[in-house]
Structures are given as C-alpha cells and as structure tokens.
Amino acid sequence: MEELDQDRLSSLAKIILHCILSKLPEKDATRTSVLSKAWLDTWYTFPILSFSTSKFMGMSPLQPMEDSEKMRKMLGFCDYVKKTILRFRDQSLTIKEFKLHVNSELGHISKEDVDIWIKLACECGVEVIDYSQYIPVGRCRYHVLPICAIEAKSITKLVLKGYIKIDPTFINHSFMFTSLRVLSLQQVLLGDQHAIDQLISFCPLIESITLRCCFVIGSGDGTMEKLKSLSISGIQKLESVDVVGINDVSIDAPSLETLCYSPNYFAAPFKIDFDRCKNLKELCMLYVTTSTFLTEQFPKFPFLEILKLSYCKMSERINISSVRLKVLELSNCSNLKEVNIDAPNLLSFGYIGHGASEPTISFLRNSSQLEVNIGIHVDYVYLCNLRKFMQNIKPNNVLTSLALSISNMSNVDAFDPVASHVSFTPTSIKHLTISHFPENKYLFSSVVKILLASCCPETISLRVINSGGKEFIEFFYEMLMRRKEGECFCSFHDTKCWWHDLKDVKVTMKMDENVDFKTFLESLDLAPYESISFRLDF
Amino acid sequence: MAQEASSSTSSKTISLKTGDGEIFEIEASAAKQMKTVQRLIDDLGDDITIPLHNVFSKELPKIIEYYKKDITGEITKDFEAEFVKDLNDDEVKVLFLAANYLDANKLFEFLSQNIADRLESKSVEYVRKYFGVENDFTPEEESKLREERAWSFRGIKEDE
C-alpha cells in the first residue's frame, strides 16, 4: 500500500504537482527540477516563469567577473529566456506568470529581445507580468513597454519597476481593460499629468493600485517631471491604494479598505482627499506633517481598524479615540510629548522612537489583550532617560516587549556615573531585545545597570553584530549570574531590589552542561544578526 | 421513492462506502463540496450508497471532519493548524491524494500548501525521500543541473 502511494504521488498529473510548486518559495520550486527526470519535465512545464539576471549570472562580490565573461553570460541568459518561452509557445503551454528582473549593471540586454519575450508571453495567455529594471543613475533611456502587456485579455496583474515607459498613445483606445486587477508602477514614465487618471479609468474592475515615484513628460518642453496629481473615482471594486510621491491625491472609492500614502518628501506640501472612502479599514501615512489629521479626518472613518503613522509630524499632544481600532503604530514621529489613547479594543500598539526625548503614553481604556511593543534607537548619552520613559507608559502592565539599539555616536569614552535609585519596581515585560550595543567596554557596566533598572524581562535576546559583540554578551551574562549567586549590583541595600528574586538564568540554545559560558560563546559560530537568548526564572 | 432512515429530518445525509468496505455518512451539503461525490450522486441518485474505490476508512473520517466545519463556515487558521498538527508526512500525502480523487478543492488547496510548508528549505535528498522518487540522473547530468541552478541551493536546512 505504501509503495503504491509513493508512485501515485509522483505520477500525479503535472497540474497537481504544479499546484504544490506554486506554493513553494522560488528557490525550493527550482530545486525540484533536480529530483529526477520526471520532475525536471514537470519543472519545464511549470507555468510560473521567473528570470533574473543577477541570479542567473551568479555574481558574488568575492569573485568579480571579467567583462568578457559578463557578456558571455548575459548572452547565455537571453538565450535561455528565449528558448524557454519559445518552448512554451511551440508546445501550446500556458504561461501563468512571467517575471523578468534585469540588472543593467551586469550587461546589456537589447530592448527588442525583451519586447519579443513579453509578446510571446502574452501569446501564451500570461496572467501576471512582473518586469523590473535596475539601471544605474545616469543612464536615462526608458524602455517602452509593448502595448500587449496591458491590452492582452489574460492579464490580471501588471508590476513594473524602473525606467519603463507606458506609451500614452494607446490610452486613447476606446475599449476597456476589464481583466486587470492589480497595477503596480514604480519609477515608471507615463504620458502626461493626466495619463494615469485616464489609464485607471480604463480599468473598471481594478482592485489594487500602487504608484511610487512615477514621472510624466512635462507639457512644456517635453522634459521629465514628477507626477503631481492623482484622481480616482468610479472604480467599484477598488480595495487598496498605495501612493508615494504624489502631492495632490483625490480618491472617491467607497469600497476602499487599505490606503497607504506618502508625499514627495518630508514636510512637502500635500493635499489628500479620501473622505468619501468611508469603509476604510487600514491607513498608513509616512512623512506627513499635519496638525489636523487626528482631530478632523480620523473621526470620519468609523471602520478604521489599523492606523500606522511613520515619520509624521503632528501636534505635541495627540488624542486617539476609537472603538474599532485594533492596531496602532507610531514610529519616528518627532516632537510628540503626550499620547493619549482611548481604544478599548486595541490589540496591539507599536512605538518606535529615538530615545532623546520620549512622550508619555497613556491608555485611558484598554483590553486585557493589549500588547505594547516598544523599539528605541538610542544614543548612549540618552540611555538614562529609558527608565523614566518606561514608567511613563500607563498602565504599566500592558508593556510586552522592548527592543533597543544603543549607539555611541558621541563617542563617549569614559563611564558616566548614573543615578541608580531603584526606588520603584521596574516594568515587567516578556522580551528584551538588544540589537546593537556600544563597543566601548567601559560603557558596558552602566548600560547593563540602566537596562536592568528599567525593566524586568522574562527573556533577553542579544544580537551578535560583530566579533566585539560577544564581549558584551559575556559581560551581561556574568552580571546576571553574579546576581543569581547573591551578589547584586543594586546600590541601595536597604531597598528591596527585585533582582534579588532571580533564581536562574538559562541559555536557550543547546549548551553542554560541563562547558562554561565563555567557552561556549567563543566556540559559537553565529551568522551575522543571529542572537543568543537567555530565559530568566524568578 | 425509498426513504432514507436518517435521524435528522432537516438535512439529508449521503452514505459513502470506502474501498475497504466501511460506510460513513455525510451531510448532502458537505457532499456537494466534493465534486466527484456529487457527480456520482447525480448519476446514481442520493439514496444509494456511493462507492469510493480509492478512498479508505483511514482517511475518510478526517475529510468528513474538515467539510463538517466547512459547511458551518467555521474553518479558521487555528482549526487548519490543529487539523494538520499531528499528521505525519505520509498521512498528509494520503489525504492529499484523496482530496484530489474526490475533487474537493478547498481541502486540496489547503493540503498542497501544507505539503509545500513541510518541504520548504529542505534538501533535494529529503524531498526525493518524501515523494519516493528515484534519482535517474547520471552524476554528470545532476551536477550540471545543480550548477545551472546554483543560486537556488543556498540556505538549505540540514536534514534531521
């Protein structure tokens, strides 16, 4: 019975195996071609085609390639792409997805070749075209996209990135592109300032639009200029819009659920009107300066569940009140002094700041499931503010995790005496993660003391950033172990320091019982960005 | 027309007979989700026990469990995680083949994702064993293929 099953699985119709391949990451799917001849055959007919110059050429920074070899490999790449697509065409096989990622630094690919490939893919009923070009700055020749990439009746998703031009003339055609559902354009050159509005109006069933840093041909002298405005209306099924770099945006889409917006640059004047998108569920804004958004616009969206504000400049004191809100993120929003949140159904609050001056954060009503995750990039000189910041998050019991990156930009040499009154209980949290710490070992002691006075974590993760990183980890571990053995680092012996309750420190990696930590650490061969974790038992 | 002796009067149940002769009951609405079963019902009528030669008593109950949840709209990510949690690789394969035979689309898609998850980052040897595949390449052929796809061989997990 077992053997029969094995045979049955392998000899399943290719369509069925393709289903599994389509759910695997690209690397894993590609590797199945090496399993056996039958599987190579299955791979050859797998309708998701992905071609990438950098992967094909296998460049590695350690072995730079001679120019002649680069050229040879590039020709090999073009040959491989053409052969593959022709095989699909000649065997009347469908191509579901065609992905082409070209890095022009590696060599030259003729635009005519790319046009042929895209046209052939369209002939094979392609549904998704993902074409991206990386061209080093300076070379500004745009590649005009063949019209079939938009007109083909089978196309549902079009993703274009980098120095590709959509010829405006076809947009005047009088028929609709009813199959297109997803459009994503990044650094693409369009016709004139109205070209994108027109193009969208020709795609009545579109569901998702992404526009990032696109250009147009200016009306004056035909030179390139930034796309300045976007106006969307009358699209019944629009679900998500992601716009970066357009300063005047107007969206009238009651079906819209997700909106992500960022103007041209930080503090750029912008105008965005999406008041009529009443069903909005998720909103992300970056680099927006506004004192009125939270008071005037935010209440207009009663169904908003996710709000993320990054690098935004708002009032010093902000109040966020919402019954529906489930996820709130404030990252790198400068000049905040006071944040008051009244969201009884909030499940997750994320705050990312830079430690120099942090606001007070108060939750007026909160659910017991609320998790608060804080991430701070702080310079050593401001580290002493950490404890006060943690204490100013009320109620304290919602704090779940703290992630710190501690730099030493001011190049402090010597250890600064730190006022270490442990007169109140540090906040209990689940995880403390430190992804970067100063290399100067004279600072280790004060860093660790401040950390342990600021919070009481269940687990501590320290990331190994370089060879010097292991010293800090060792120091930290020693300090915790000394506390376990009875020697505490708190300065006030009459006040009960909560660290006195520390019973055990366990390393969460497999560690030999007989080996001491220092030896274990030295022998550990960790990849960069891997971390070592301790679990604390009280 | 003969009446089905069923306990519930509000929903009809269909009798399914596995390849090893056991009989199981499912709701008619669940049977609709398995296109093969529905076709047999259309051909043979819903009063007759539907024979399923290629599905056996070991796996059919699990499939019925899945679709019982499906018709009440209760399939959640948690339910799906629980559903496959204790299944070993062979059991998932057998269910997958059965879902394919029964043309039960939702279960089929879910299980193919689960198989893909189980194979992610695994070595070629591991995947060969999983599918019971014999390597019929010559060493030269195989090394040529591996070289052509060198980029896809980075970051593979060690076999346990």
Side-chain angles (χ1 to χ4, degrees):
Chain A
M1 192 68 81
E2 275 262 320
E3 274 174 26
L4 206 60
D5 283 342
Q6 308 283 48
D7 274 345
R8 282 162 74 199
L9 199 53
S10 246
S11 60
L12 273 181
K14 292 202 169 31
I15 283 186
I16 308 227
L17 295 177
H18 286 165
C19 188
I20 298 183
L21 287 182
S22 69
K23 295 177 162 71
L24 279 168
E26 205 182 311
K27 276 190 192 163
D28 300 75
T30 310
R31 283 205 302 275
T32 64
S33 56
V34 181
L35 291 176
S36 73
K37 290 188 179 158
W39 276 86
L40 182 60
D41 229 31
T42 304
W43 170 248
Y44 274 150
T45 54
F46 184 46
I48 298 178
L49 301 180
S50 179
F51 305 105
S52 153
T53 49
S54 36
K55 283 179 186 156
F56 184 86
M57 314 242 303
M59 310 256 290
S60 96
L62 300 170
Q63 296 170 309
M65 240 185 254
E66 289 263 323
D67 277 346
S68 58
E69 199 191 335
K70 265 195 217 177
M71 210 157 70
R72 190 178 55 84
K73 281 211 165 179
M74 206 52 144
L75 284 172
F77 173 78
C78 295
D79 200 42
Y80 170 63
V81 177
K82 188 159 187 185
K83 267 215 213 106
T84 309
I85 303 186
L86 278 174
R87 176 163 48 81
F88 273 76
R89 204 264 316 259
D90 295 341
Q91 291 178 23
S92 302
L93 294 167
T94 319
I95 297 179
K96 273 225 179 100
E97 289 183 29
F98 174 67
K99 290 185 208 167
L100 178 65
H101 292 195
V102 171
N103 183 344
S104 292
E105 252 183 351
L106 301 173
H108 174 69
I109 288 194
S110 97
K111 302 298 172 232
E112 288 76 28
D113 276 347
V114 177
D115 285 351
I116 292 176
W117 302 337
I118 293 179
K119 285 183 188 147
L120 283 171
C122 290
E123 275 177 47
C124 295
V126 72
E127 292 170 30
V128 174
I129 294 184
D130 180 340
Y131 171 34
S132 83
Q133 274 203 99
Y134 170 71
I135 296 187
V137 179
R139 301 197 225 153
C140 273
R141 297 277 305 280
Y142 276 78
H143 173 208
V144 180
L145 188 73
I147 298 172
C148 59
I150 302 189
E151 289 187 343
K153 296 240 175 345
S154 53
I155 299 264
T156 60
K157 177 171 166 180
L158 183 60
V159 178
L160 302 173
K161 182 174 169 185
Y163 289 90
I164 300 167
K165 180 173 169 187
I166 297 187
D167 193 324
T169 51
F170 83 83
I171 296 180
N172 294 324
H173 288 186
S174 54
F175 64 97
M176 297 280 182
F177 310 125
T178 47
S179 57
L180 196 63
R181 296 284 179 277
V182 177
L183 180 66
S184 168
L185 305 177
Q186 198 162 330
Q187 295 169 300
V188 162
L189 177 63
L190 301 153
D192 58 21
Q193 288 287 351
H194 305 289
I196 188 65
D197 295 346
Q198 276 187 313
L199 174 57
I200 293 173
S201 68
F202 278 100
C203 308
L205 297 177
I206 201 162
E207 291 169 8
S208 163
I209 298 174
T210 301
L211 293 169
R212 290 187 183 185
C213 306
C214 292
F215 294 87
V216 300
I217 298 175
S219 45
D221 49 359
T223 50
M224 276 182 354
E225 57 186 38
K226 286 226 166 84
L227 177 60
K228 292 193 192 119
S229 73
L230 174 69
S231 171
I232 301 176
S233 67
I235 308 286
Q236 308 288 349
K237 306 238 172 178
L238 191 58
E239 266 176 32
S240 111
V241 171
D242 182 341
V243 176
V244 174
I246 304 179
N247 286 350
D248 187 343
V249 176
S250 159
I251 305 174
D252 178 1
S255 56
L256 194 68
E257 289 187 5
T258 305
L259 174 62
C260 213
Y261 175 71
S262 171
N264 235 332
Y265 50 87
F266 187 50
F270 70 93
K271 195 172 91 180
I272 177 161
D273 175 14
F274 54 101
D275 285 357
R276 273 152 292 171
C277 305
K278 293 270 176 224
N279 288 306
L280 201 62
K281 289 214 173 76
E282 179 173 345
L283 176 64
C284 307
M285 299 211 292
L286 291 94
Y287 297 107
V288 162
T289 303
T290 168
S291 51
T292 56
F293 170 72
L294 284 171
T295 47
E296 289 175 18
Q297 268 99 7
F298 177 67
K300 290 186 187 171
F301 304 100
F303 300 107
L304 205 60
E305 291 178 9
I306 301 176
L307 178 63
K308 296 182 186 174
L309 302 169
S310 297
Y311 294 96
C312 289
K313 197 163 168 191
M314 296 172 285
S315 323
E316 287 183 357
R317 190 166 168 247
I318 61 173
N319 302 309
I320 298 174
S321 174
S322 160
V323 176
R324 286 270 187 151
L325 203 61
K326 295 212 173 93
V327 175
L328 176 62
E329 276 178 28
L330 298 173
S331 41
N332 298 297
C333 294
S334 58
N335 89 326
L336 278 178
K337 292 224 164 56
E338 192 182 316
V339 179
N340 300 314
I341 302 166
D342 180 9
N345 290 310
L346 195 67
L347 296 174
S348 157
F349 174 68
Y351 179 83
I352 298 181
H354 53 65
S357 69
E358 297 294 5
T360 62
I361 301 176
S362 312
F363 296 90
L364 277 61
R365 284 182 290 169
N366 63 276
S367 97
S368 54
Q369 293 169 301
L370 176 61
E371 287 194 359
V372 172
N373 300 301
I374 309 280
I376 309 271
H377 298 267
V378 62
D379 194 86
Y380 172 75
V381 296
Y382 298 117
L383 193 59
C384 44
N385 294 338
L386 182 65
R387 211 169 65 207
K388 184 150 159 260
F389 169 55
M390 302 284 281
Q391 291 296 315
N392 281 334
I393 299 174
K394 300 184 164 79
N396 230 231
N397 60 3
V398 298
L399 273 169
T400 312
S401 77
L402 173 65
L404 289 173
S405 167
I406 309 168
S407 54
N408 187 13
M409 302 297 240
S410 351
N411 240 320
V412 172
D413 259 345
F415 152 73
D416 249 30
V418 164
S420 40
H421 281 256
V422 193
S423 52
F424 39 76
T425 329
T427 321
S428 253
I429 62 175
K430 289 214 173 78
H431 315 288
L432 170 66
T433 310
I434 307 180
S435 56
H436 192 282
F437 30 82
E439 285 179 18
N440 182 347
K441 55 185 190 241
Y442 293 107
L443 304 179
F444 284 1
S445 171
S446 54
V447 167
V448 175
K449 283 189 187 171
I450 294 176
L451 290 177
L452 299 181
S454 305
C455 62
C456 180
E458 284 176 23
T459 62
I460 302 178
S461 281
L462 302 172
R463 198 201 267 177
V464 180
I465 35 165
N466 46 31
S467 55
K470 286 189 179 177
E471 279 186 351
F472 180 78
I473 298 177
E474 197 191 317
F475 180 89
F476 206 125
Y477 182 76
E478 298 286 309
M479 210 162 195
L480 289 173
M481 290 307 276
R482 286 214 304 269
R483 167 46 243 136
K484 196 180 104 170
E485 254 99 77
E487 197 191 305
C488 189
F489 41 77
C490 66
S491 350
F492 285 79
H493 300 284
D494 53 338
T495 315
K496 182 165 195 247
C497 161
W498 62 272
W499 282 101
H500 291 176
D501 289 330
L502 180 63
K503 291 206 174 50
D504 199 8
V505 178
K506 285 206 190 72
V507 180
T508 56
M509 274 171 139
K510 267 212 192 106
M511 190 170 114
D512 209 343
E513 293 274 316
N514 306 318
V515 167
D516 74 289
F517 186 71
K518 181 165 174 169
T519 325
F520 164 72
L521 192 58
E522 264 159 37
S523 68
L524 215 50
D525 189 23
L526 285 175
Y529 303 114
E530 247 188 273
S531 40
I532 298 191
S533 301
F534 307 129
R535 206 183 68 229
L536 308 183
D537 294 325
F538 287 87
Chain B
M1 207 160 54
Q3 282 294 318
E4 274 271 302
S6 69
S7 43
S8 86
T9 45
S10 53
S11 58
K12 186 128 170 70
T13 61
I14 308 283
S15 295
L16 303 174
K17 183 166 166 186
T18 64
D20 50 346
E22 277 197 47
I23 301 197
F24 295 89
E25 307 273 328
I26 57 164
E27 318 252 330
S29 46
K32 248 207 172 87
Q33 305 298 324
M34 307 180 212
K35 298 211 192 90
T36 306
V37 175
Q38 189 57 50
R39 263 179 257 131
L40 286 167
I41 294 175
D42 292 340
D43 286 343
L44 304 170
D46 53 9
D47 292 337
I48 297 188
T49 304
I50 307 290
L52 300 172
H53 299 300
N54 276 332
V55 184
F56 298 89
S57 50
K58 195 149 185 267
E59 57 264 22
L60 190 56
K62 210 58 177 150
I63 298 174
I64 293 177
E65 180 195 328
Y66 187 86
Y67 276 102
K68 241 197 181 134
K69 269 281 188 197
D70 185 42
I71 52 178
T72 58
E74 278 171 23
I75 293 197
T76 60
K77 285 236 152 34
D78 286 336
F79 169 74
E80 288 188 329
E82 264 307 302
F83 189 80
V84 289
K85 198 173 74 157
D86 295 321
L87 295 175
N88 66 31
D89 287 344
D90 283 326
E91 287 164 338
V92 174
K93 274 188 278 180
V94 165
L95 276 174
F96 177 69
L97 288 168
N100 175 49
Y101 171 77
L102 294 169
D103 206 348
N105 193 48
K106 196 157 176 185
L107 183 62
F108 177 80
E109 291 283 329
F110 165 52
L111 290 174
S112 43
Q113 180 67 59
N114 190 245
I115 292 179
D117 293 341
R118 285 167 191 247
L119 295 176
E120 194 179 320
S121 295
K122 293 292 201 297
S123 68
V124 168
E125 290 74 27
Y126 183 98
V127 180
R128 274 193 191 125
K129 241 192 351 202
Y130 185 90
F131 285 110
V133 169
E134 255 210 55
N135 179 10
D136 51 357
F137 287 122
T138 66
E140 295 82 29
E141 287 170 339
E142 184 174 338
S143 72
K144 180 159 181 272
L145 284 171
R146 279 178 184 254
E147 201 195 303
E148 283 171 2
R149 294 147 178 68
W151 63 270
S152 69
F153 280 87
R154 286 188 228 128
I156 304 179
K157 289 200 199 118
E158 284 266 325
D159 289 354
E160 272 149 44

